[in-house]
Each structure stands twice: as C-alpha cells, then as structure tokens.
Amino acid sequence: FVSWAVDDTPIENTGLIEPRAYEDLKHTLWCRLTEILAQPLHVDYCQFVSKDTDATVRLEDSTKLRESYAVEFVSGRYGSFFEEFSLAGRFLVDTITRWKQSVSRLLSRLHSDRNILCRLTDSDSPFPVVELSADAGDRHGGGETVVVLSFGDENVVYKPRSIVPNQSLSQLFDALINVSSLSLNPTPAGVTRDGYGWVEYVENEPLNSREQLQTYYDRAGLFAWMATLLGSTDLHYENLIATTAGPVV
C-alpha cells in the first residue's frame, strides 16, 4: 500500500527534499495505515489462530504462526479480510489518497515559495529539506497536519490552513507593545498565503531561574487577560509553547 502511494507521488526527483525527509513522509503514512489496520488485523489473526487447535499450547511457535498468517494473507486471505472489514479498506484507500494529495500540495508550495522560505531561514538557498515531522499537530481540512521542516540549521513550520488569525494576533500584540508598557512577548514571524502559511519555528525552552519563572508567569497572566478579552478558545497546553519570553501560541 505504501509503495502504491509513493510510486504515484513525485517526491525523490524534485530536488526539494533529501532521502531522509522522504523517508519521514513514508513513515507518516506507515503510522496512519497502522492506526487503521492494527485492530482488524489482530482480530483476523486471532480467527486464523483459533482454527489451529494446538495453537494455545504452542505459544513458543507464535513467530511461526505469524509467518504462516502473513503468507496466507498475501496469498489470498486479504480478499475475505477486506470483505469482513470493509470500512477499514475504505479508510485505507481514503488515507492514501489524502496523503498523496497533501504531499503533492506541500511539494508544490515548497517550490513556488522558495523566496519566502529564503527570508524565513535568512538564507540564499536553504534547500533541500533534510528532515521533517509531518504529524506535528491535529489533523484538519481532510487530514492535513502541521509540518515542521528542517533545512539543517533552521526550521520552518508549514500550516496547511489560514494563519490570518495568528497574524492578526501578532499585529495586535506588536501594536500594544509599541503604545504601552505591557510586557507581551512578540509572536512568531509568519507569511500568509492563500489558504496556508509559513511560520517561524519556536521551541519549548527550559526556565532555569526564579527570574525567568517570574517573567514567564507575568506574561502568561497578561496573555490570559488578552485571550479573554478577544474571546479566544482552544488555548490548552498542547497549543502553547513555553519560552523564556513567555507563552507562544
């Protein structure tokens, strides 16, 4: 299934990503297919084993049983498997189709936004991508997720949805910082595109002193106040990054 998906997706010959990043994309698909197939395959395997009356007393031969199951599955058992677990088959095909579409979109946007990525990484030629994390957030808009792209020394975050709300928040915070004494930490730099965007990568940072803790919670309080005024929601801990300058969305 993975070979089918990859063979139809022109990844290796684009020059945009290195083999390691290519393997990261494949691994993401492996994981998603495993989520779908693990339980039905386990049920089918148990049904296969139950036909062997001696299986329960031959636990030391479990490896052989799995090998026998694998051989029987690829020899034709998959037909009855997908008849019994037809919904898993539907999810399987749908997941592969969406993966192919999202990867093709990502490659196209990497190519068309070269100049933007040069600015965000402060490099004349950051390519190729050396590694990536393709499931760096919740899945939205047909299963697409945030992708963290590593260009070696610099990382950039790809968001397959509009980042206008983030940019609006950034502009508001910048304006408040300029006209007041509020100690709001600046928001990450980003570039808005049509339906997606590129954002500066921000990492969690350890707080190593009482002063850093004091600064963090002072700014966290201000941030919570601003979020309340704006009617913000979904600001749970997984959507915030802790830095020495304060919390970052």
Side-chain angles (χ1 to χ4, degrees):
F1 289 122
V2 173
S3 297
W4 166 41
V6 171
D7 289 345
D8 280 352
T9 310
I11 299 175
E12 287 186 294
N13 299 323
T14 61
L16 296 172
I17 66 174
E18 288 191 351
R20 181 175 175 181
Y22 170 67
E23 290 300 320
D24 289 339
L25 285 172
K26 287 174 61 177
H27 180 71
T28 301
L29 181 59
W30 274 109
C31 291
R32 292 184 184 181
L33 299 187
T34 300
E35 289 176 7
I36 296 168
L37 293 175
Q39 188 172 8
L41 278 173
H42 177 69
V43 172
D44 191 55
Y45 172 72
C46 289
Q47 292 174 348
F48 170 79
V49 171
S50 66
K51 295 179 180 179
D52 187 341
T53 55
D54 297 326
T56 54
V57 295
R58 291 191 296 105
L59 296 178
E60 70 277 5
D61 292 331
S62 60
T63 300
K64 290 183 179 180
L65 282 171
R66 288 188 175 88
E67 290 174 350
S68 298
Y69 172 73
V71 170
E72 182 167 320
F73 188 90
V74 298
S75 297
R77 187 182 180 92
Y78 61 83
S80 60
F81 172 84
F82 283 115
E83 284 182 3
E84 182 173 357
F85 302 100
S86 57
L87 193 59
R90 178 178 175 181
F91 283 156
L92 185 80
V93 174
D94 184 62
T95 298
I96 291 173
T97 301
R98 291 177 184 274
W99 180 88
K100 289 161 62 176
Q101 292 171 344
S102 64
V103 169
S104 295
R105 269 194 295 270
L106 174 60
L107 293 173
S108 174
R109 290 168 176 175
L110 279 171
H111 178 75
S112 61
D113 293 344
R114 284 173 176 267
N115 292 336
I116 292 172
L117 293 166
C118 286
R119 293 200 302 272
L120 283 176
T121 58
D122 195 23
S123 170
D124 293 334
S125 181
F127 288 94
V129 176
V130 296
E131 59 182 309
L132 55 81
S133 175
D135 266 344
D138 295 335
R139 296 173 194 169
H140 298 285
E144 291 197 81
T145 66
V146 171
V147 180
V148 178
L149 304 159
S150 174
F151 293 91
D153 295 333
E154 295 288 341
N155 293 344
V156 174
V157 179
Y158 163 71
K159 295 196 173 185
R161 54 176 171 76
S162 173
I163 64 168
V164 170
N166 303 68
Q167 295 295 86
S168 299
L169 185 66
S170 175
Q171 292 168 9
L172 175 61
F173 277 26
D174 290 344
L176 288 171
I177 291 170
N178 290 333
V179 301
S180 72
S181 59
L182 292 177
S183 298
L184 292 163
N185 52 301
T187 52
V191 178
T192 302
R193 303 290 283 161
D194 185 15
Y196 69 99
W198 306 98
V199 182
E200 175 189 6
Y201 179 73
V202 179
E203 284 189 290
N204 286 302
E205 297 174 333
L207 305 177
N208 297 314
S209 68
R210 182 179 294 273
E211 289 74 19
Q212 286 182 341
L213 283 168
Q214 183 68 49
T215 298
Y216 179 84
Y217 283 107
D218 283 347
R219 294 184 176 179
L222 282 168
F223 182 83
W225 172 64
M226 289 298 304
T228 302
L229 286 176
L230 295 169
S232 303
T233 59
D234 204 33
L235 291 175
H236 53 82
Y237 77 99
E238 290 180 331
N239 286 340
L240 292 174
I241 301 171
T243 74
T244 53
V248 175
V249 179

